[in-house]
Amino acid sequence: MADTALLQIEDLKIGFPARDGGEVTIVDGVSLSVNHGEIVGLVGESGSGKSMLALASMGLVPRPGRITAGSIKLLGEDTVGLPDRRMQDLRGGTIGMVFQDPMTGLNPVRTIGSLLSESVRRHQRVSRDRALEIAEAALTSVGIPAAHERLSVYPHQLSGGLRQRAMIALALVNDPAVIIADEPTTALDTTIQAQILDLLRAKLVAAGGILITHDLGVAAEICDRLAVIYHGRLVETGPTADLLAAPRHPYTEGLLRAIPRFDRSRPRLVPIPGQPPAPSMDRGACSFRPRCDYAMDACAKAPALTPDGADRSVACWAPIGAPVLERRA
Ligand SMILES: Nc1ncnc2c1ncn2[C@@H]1O[C@H](COP(=O)(O)OP(=O)(O)OP(=O)(O)O)[C@@H](O)[C@H]1O
Ligand code: SF4
Ligand SMILES: [Mg+2]
C-alpha cells in the first residue's frame, strides 16, 4: 500500500451535452496523482475545469454531465462507475471535500450538529451521543469557539469565516485519507483567509490532497507540486519551487505576472490579456494560441503534455527557457 497513490486520476474526460446534440468536453485527458502527505495545487483561471475535476473525484459530476473516459483510483479502487452506495461510503470517509460554495457543502435546513454527527455515524459505528462528541471536537479542532453551542445552529446563522470552518470540519470529521479543498478562502477577507489556509495546510499535510485555487500566490505558499490547467487540460506540472522559479508554459508565465504586486499601498493586478476559451472552442490547435506571445505555425496543432526534466511536464511546442518570477517578499 505504501507505493499506492492516495488518489490517481488517469486520462480523465468529462463531457456535457451540447445544444447541437453532440457533447462538449469540459475536462480533457487529465492525469494527476496525490501521494501520502503531499499537497498538489491545481491552478487555472475561472472556467478551466478545476471544480469539475474535484467533483468527479467525489463522484459528484452534476447531471447531465458525465465522465466519458479515464479512471479515478482512491487508494487503488477505481471509483468511476461505482454503485452510488459504495461511493457514498467513500465520500466523507475516505475522501473529504471543502466545496467552493459553502452552501453546496452545508445543507441549509440542517443544524451543524446534525450534519456532522450524521456523517460520523455513516462512517463510524458509534452512538448518537458519541457522534455529537466527535462533531464538537471537530468544530473545536478547526478553531470554532463555543463549539458545543454551535452544534444547534444552522449554517446561515454563522459568519462567513465560521461557516467555512464548519465546512472544513465536516470534510475532515472522519479523518479522510484524501482532502480536496476547492477555493477554500476566496470568499473570505484577508485576515480570515490566512487563518483558514494555515489550518488547511496542517490538515492537508497530515493526509494528502488537492488545493484548488486561481491564485498562484496561495498555491506557492502551501503546495508541494503544482498542476496548471487551461481549457480542461493540464498544460504544466512540476514541483512548486521549480515551476515558479522557471515556468515553462507561456500560460504559467502569464499567471505569475498576474500575481498582485503591492506598490506601496496600491495593489496592482496584471491580468493575462484576452479571454479564457469557451469549453466548446475547438481543441485541434493549442488552446492558448490566441493569447500567447510566442505562438508560431506549429501551434495550429495542440501539443501533448510531455515529460520535461525531473518531475516536470509541459504541453507547449516551445517551452520558455528563462526564469521570470520575482518572488513576493
Ligand atoms: N452544469 C454544467 N453544465 C454545463 N457546463 C458546466 C456546468 N458546470 C460547469 N460547466 C462548465 O464547465 C467548465 C468548467 O467549470 P468549473 O466549475 O470546473 O470551472 P472552475 O475552473 O472551477 O472555475 P472557477 O475558478 O470559476 O471556480 C466551465 O466552462 C463551466 O461553464
Ligand atoms: S504551443 Fe504555441 S501557442 Fe501554445 S503555449 Fe506553446 S508557444 Fe504558445
Ligand atoms: Mg471552481
Side-chain angles (χ1 to χ4, degrees), residues 103-283:
M103 290 329 240
T104 308
L106 296 173
N107 184 340
V109 299
R110 304 283 306 281
T111 63
I112 298 293
S114 69
L115 285 168
L116 279 149
S117 61
E118 186 179 287
S119 177
V120 170
R121 293 196 76 202
R122 169 152 210 111
H123 299 286
Q124 305 179 41
R125 295 175 72 88
V126 294
S127 69
R128 206 172 294 266
D129 285 351
R130 178 67 193 129
L132 278 169
E133 281 171 18
I134 295 171
E136 186 178 332
L139 292 178
T140 304
S141 79
V142 296
I144 293 185
H148 186 72
E149 289 152 41
R150 313 287 185 182
L151 291 174
S152 54
V153 307
Y154 291 89
H156 72 270
Q157 293 174 302
L158 294 174
S159 67
L162 287 184
R163 192 157 52 226
Q164 199 73 352
R165 283 170 192 268
M167 190 162 59
I168 294 172
L170 181 61
L172 305 182
V173 71
N174 294 302
D175 286 328
V178 186
I179 300 162
I180 300 183
D182 188 359
E183 304 274 8
T185 60
T186 309
L188 304 173
D189 72 46
T190 24
T191 332
I192 297 171
Q193 266 187 22
Q195 291 169 7
I196 296 277
L197 280 176
D198 280 350
L199 171 73
L200 266 175
R201 188 202 323 245
K203 301 290 183 186
L204 279 161
V205 291
I210 298 178
L211 175 72
I212 295 177
T213 177
H214 61 263
D215 185 337
L216 206 39
V218 166
E221 286 168 30
I222 293 200
C223 302
D224 303 302
R225 266 193 307 133
L226 296 181
V228 182
I229 186 168
Y230 191 78
H231 197 206
R233 290 176 176 161
L234 295 190
V235 295
E236 180 159 16
T237 67
T240 304
D242 297 353
L243 191 142
L244 295 182
R248 301 277 284 157
H249 197 283
Y251 177 59
T252 315
E253 182 191 55
L255 285 179
L256 285 168
R257 284 207 205 104
I259 292 178
R261 303 282 159 81
F262 291 91
D263 175 11
R264 298 215 171 91
S265 61
R266 273 190 310 138
R268 190 162 58 93
L269 266 171
V270 189
I272 303 176
Q275 293 297 317
S280 56
M281 193 182 91
D282 183 70
R283 291 171 181 277

Side-chain angles (χ1 to χ4, degrees), residues 304-315:
L305 188 69
T306 41
D308 176 48
D311 293 335
R312 293 188 64 167
S313 59
V314 65

